[in-house]
Amino acid sequence: MTIHIRKLDSSNAGFKQALSAVLAFEASEDDAIDHAAATILADIKTRGDSAVLDYTNRFDRVAAASVGALEVSQAELAAALDTLPVARRAALQTAADRVRAYHARQKEECGSAGFLYTEADGTVLGQKVTPLDRVGIYVPGGKAAYPSSVLMNAIPAKVAGVGEVIMVVPTPDGVRNQLVFAAAAIAGVDRIFTIGGAQAVGALAYGTDTIPAVDKIVGPGNAYVAAAKRRVFGVVGIDMIAGPSEILVICDGSTNPDWIAMDLFSQAEHDEMAQSILLCPDAAYIEQVEASINKQLDAMPRKEVIRTSLTNRGALIKVRDMDEACEIANAIAPEHLEISTETPQVWADKIRHAGAMFLGRFSSESLGDYCA
């Protein structure tokens, strides 16, 4: 079945309005979701473990007898790591090493001791930088496995010297992903609870008899997780309110169109609400990418998720030139930005607003994001 992905042209009248319509959708702001999250949080705050257990058994379709039964032992994490195929374990370890090296350099260059100075009148001022005592990391687990989320949230905390890292991850129908657990073992996560959703955020924020309260909650999740994080901010720190995952690709038409199609798939496969957009000045090349999308789709394990995402939220946009592509990218301010061109640094210098940039046709977002 052919994907009817939206195509826009920046030279057409009404382009700005059409682009705004593409970008307007924001599920985390839905009133019903916010109300549901607020109700769950209030229940967690009042009933603690009992509420966490009720919601987890209901939403994840499990039959745990206690919240304690939802905790994953260190022995199970070690077993998950030990039973990984050699190539997969090596890839996971390489990714972890790269994440750790990056953040170690960040710590060294930004300074971990703070600063102290004396003004002319003798006043002493300064700043002391200290790690948090306990951090909670949320790892999505409802629709796919994200070992990268484990590495990219737990390892920076460990490098910074955080005393204890508590991880929560949903396991619908009781299915425990061994790659995620192996990543937790490599990253040095201290405790893991197989809970998710707003109830997991509430448990981390308020604490229960079994789950300790944390100082900060980080990591991506669905719209209910985002709504819950917004509501507990102030009780605890949070990293940000994450929307649906997104990728924006700027291409000059020189990259293999099959690669660009796969790069668009890399975020579309995350969730039906994810967004994948291509900006390119070459109309014929855009047609080639569209053809490649339809050629490769049926081979994708999560093809129905990709199909829905690209149909509802994707876009192939013809721009006048590469300068305009950069202007549009700055206006969108994407979570992930790929610049797949002959001279990527030239265009990267024009980008002011993006979460992470991946430069060059060999810098796949899916690989680069995973390995920091």
Side-chain angles (χ1 to χ4, degrees):
M1 185 185 297
T2 301
I3 293 182
H4 298 289
I5 186 169
R6 183 186 291 104
K7 287 190 283 188
L8 305 177
D9 189 325
S10 66
S11 64
N12 289 345
F15 168 72
K16 289 185 178 180
Q17 291 82 355
L19 180 60
S20 294
V22 172
L23 303 173
F25 182 80
E26 183 49 84
S28 63
E29 293 180 357
D30 185 275
D31 289 339
I33 291 174
D34 186 61
H35 177 74
T39 300
I40 292 170
L41 290 174
D43 200 14
I44 298 296
K45 192 173 184 180
T46 301
R47 295 198 297 128
D49 276 352
S50 296
V52 171
L53 188 62
D54 288 348
Y55 289 120
T56 301
N57 285 344
R58 173 184 168 191
F59 294 140
D60 287 346
R61 301 172 297 280
V62 296
S66 67
V67 174
L70 297 169
E71 183 168 5
V72 181
S73 69
Q74 290 294 322
E76 186 172 352
L77 298 186
L81 182 59
D82 290 341
T83 56
L84 277 186
V86 173
R88 181 167 290 189
R89 177 167 180 167
L92 198 62
Q93 186 64 59
T94 298
D97 291 344
R98 294 187 66 182
V99 173
R100 189 173 290 108
Y102 177 89
H103 289 287
R105 179 181 293 271
Q106 183 182 45
K107 181 179 179 181
E108 292 167 4
E109 296 190 0
C110 293
S112 59
F115 59 85
L116 194 69
Y117 70 96
T118 303
E119 293 189 318
D121 64 359
T123 302
V124 178
L125 300 171
Q127 173 180 287
K128 183 179 181 181
V129 180
T130 59
L132 298 171
D133 292 331
R134 184 182 292 124
V135 168
I137 66 171
Y138 189 99
V139 176
K143 294 185 177 181
Y146 297 101
S148 56
S149 287
V150 180
L151 301 181
M152 291 188 292
N153 284 290
I155 290 176
K158 286 294 183 178
V159 171
V162 170
E164 187 176 25
V165 175
I166 310 294
M167 175 176 139
V168 293
V169 57
T171 55
D173 299 310
V175 178
R176 298 185 169 197
N177 186 278
Q178 297 305 296
L179 189 58
V180 168
F181 286 0
I186 286 178
V189 172
D190 297 288
R191 298 180 72 182
I192 298 180
F193 294 90
T194 55
I195 58 175
Q199 63 270 25
V201 173
L204 292 173
Y206 305 130
T208 71
D209 289 339
T210 304
I211 302 170
V214 302
D215 301 310
K216 187 170 186 175
I217 300 172
V218 302
N222 63 17
Y224 292 91
V225 172
K229 285 172 71 176
R230 180 184 290 110
R231 283 188 167 269
V232 300
F233 177 58
V235 176
V236 293
I238 62 171
D239 50 352
M240 63 179 177
I241 306 298
S245 188
E246 60 187 11
I247 184 172
L248 178 68
V249 180
I250 295 176
C251 186
D252 59 5
S254 64
T255 303
N256 185 328
D258 289 345
W259 298 2
I260 297 300
M262 289 297 290
D263 287 344
L264 297 175
F265 287 172
S266 72
Q267 292 302 306
E269 71 175 2
H270 279 203
D271 191 278
E272 291 87 349
M273 293 185 293
Q275 185 158 67
S276 302
I277 295 175
L278 169 64
L279 300 174
C280 180
D282 187 334
Y285 181 80
I286 289 176
E287 296 291 339
Q288 292 174 34
V289 171
E290 183 180 32
S292 181
I293 287 172
N294 285 294
K295 177 184 68 176
Q296 298 187 78
L297 179 64
D298 285 340
M300 298 297 104
R302 293 170 61 78
K303 60 184 178 182
E304 293 309 321
V305 174
I306 294 172
R307 186 189 311 279
T308 301
S309 171
L310 291 180
T311 299
N312 295 341
R313 304 211 65 212
L316 305 175
I317 302 175
K318 181 188 176 300
V319 293
R320 293 179 177 86
D321 51 40
M322 291 295 292
D323 284 306
E324 185 181 48
C326 293
E327 291 174 11
I328 294 172
N330 281 322
I332 294 174
E335 177 188 10
H336 306 106
L337 173 65
E338 278 190 15
I339 302 181
S340 189
T341 66
E342 290 279 1
T343 54
Q345 190 61 57
V346 170
W347 309 114
D349 290 343
K350 297 177 181 289
I351 299 298
R352 303 183 305 280
H353 309 300
M357 290 198 295
F358 305 87
L359 307 184
R361 60 175 61 94
F362 298 110
S363 296
S364 166
E365 180 275 329
S366 56
L367 185 62
D369 191 37
Y370 189 83
C371 300

